Amino acid sequence: MMLYFVYYADSFQPELQKVEINLVSVKLLDIDKIDKRAHLQVDYQLVNPTSVTTTLSTVNYDLYTNGKKIGEGHYSVEDIPMAGRPALFPGSNVTISDKFELVYTENIADEYSAITSGQPMKFESKGQATIESTMTMITKDFDLTLG
C-alpha cells in the first residue's frame, strides 16, 4: 500500500514541471544614499497550465544586469502552512514580489548608478523555485530575462 502511495505522489511531478515562471518587472523602491543601498521590487509571475492546484514555497535567485551579478535574493513562505500560502489554481496565474537589497560595491558601480538614476536596464534572474502540491514537490531551475 505504501509503495502505491509513493508511486501515486510521484506521478504529479511531471505536472508540476509544467508550471511556468516569468520575470515580469524589477522596480526601484527606495535609495539610501548614506549607506549606499537601494531596494528593488522583483516580481515573478507563475502560470499553472495543469489541472493540479499548486503553491510556491521558495525562490532563490541571483540577479544580473549588463551581465554582472548584482546580488542574491530569496523569497520564502516555507514557514506558512500550505493552506495560508498563495494558491496557484489550475489554469490561473499569480504574481509574487520580493524585496531585493542592492548594495553598492566598486564592482557594480556603473550598474548601481544606472539603476538608481532610473535608466532602463536589462535584467536576468537565475535560480531555483520550489513548487508544491498536496502530494509532492519539485525544485525547478530557471534563467529569465527582462528588458
Side-chain angles (χ1 to χ4, degrees):
M1 181 69 169
M2 185 64 156
L3 183 61
Y4 175 76
F5 179 74
V6 170
Y7 176 75
Y8 181 73
D10 284 348
S11 70
F12 286 99
Q13 287 186 354
E15 287 295 296
L16 296 183
Q17 285 289 348
K18 294 177 185 176
V19 173
E20 300 169 17
I21 304 168
N22 302 301
L23 179 61
V24 292
S25 69
V26 178
K27 300 174 194 162
L28 179 63
L29 296 175
D30 58 63
I31 304 167
D32 181 346
K33 292 182 180 181
I34 295 170
D35 290 330
K36 294 187 177 179
R37 296 174 184 270
H39 290 106
L40 307 176
Q41 178 177 313
V42 181
D43 295 328
Y44 293 95
Q45 181 185 53
L46 292 105
V47 179
N48 185 0
T50 72
S51 60
V52 178
T53 299
T54 65
T55 188
L56 180 78
S57 61
T58 62
V59 179
N60 296 303
Y61 62 95
D62 295 330
L63 193 61
Y64 298 80
T65 189
N66 294 341
K68 284 189 179 176
K69 181 177 171 181
I70 59 172
E72 299 172 358
H74 180 71
Y75 169 88
S76 177
V77 291
E78 287 180 299
D79 57 336
I80 300 172
M82 277 189 84
R85 297 178 189 171
L88 186 53
F89 295 108
S92 70
N93 62 59
V94 67
T95 300
I96 59 141
S97 297
D98 184 47
K99 190 173 184 179
F100 180 88
E101 186 171 54
L102 177 63
V103 179
Y104 176 89
T105 64
E106 289 297 323
N107 189 42
I108 61 164
D110 293 339
E111 290 75 16
Y112 183 91
S113 177
I115 292 168
T116 56
S117 66
Q119 295 179 23
M121 304 293 291
K122 179 180 178 180
F123 289 97
E124 183 177 9
S125 177
K126 296 179 183 180
Q128 294 183 323
T130 304
I131 302 166
E132 299 181 40
S133 72
T134 55
M135 298 299 238
T136 191
M137 65 187 261
I138 63 159
T139 300
K140 184 172 182 157
D141 295 330
F142 61 83
D143 185 350
L144 312 167
T145 56
L146 175 69

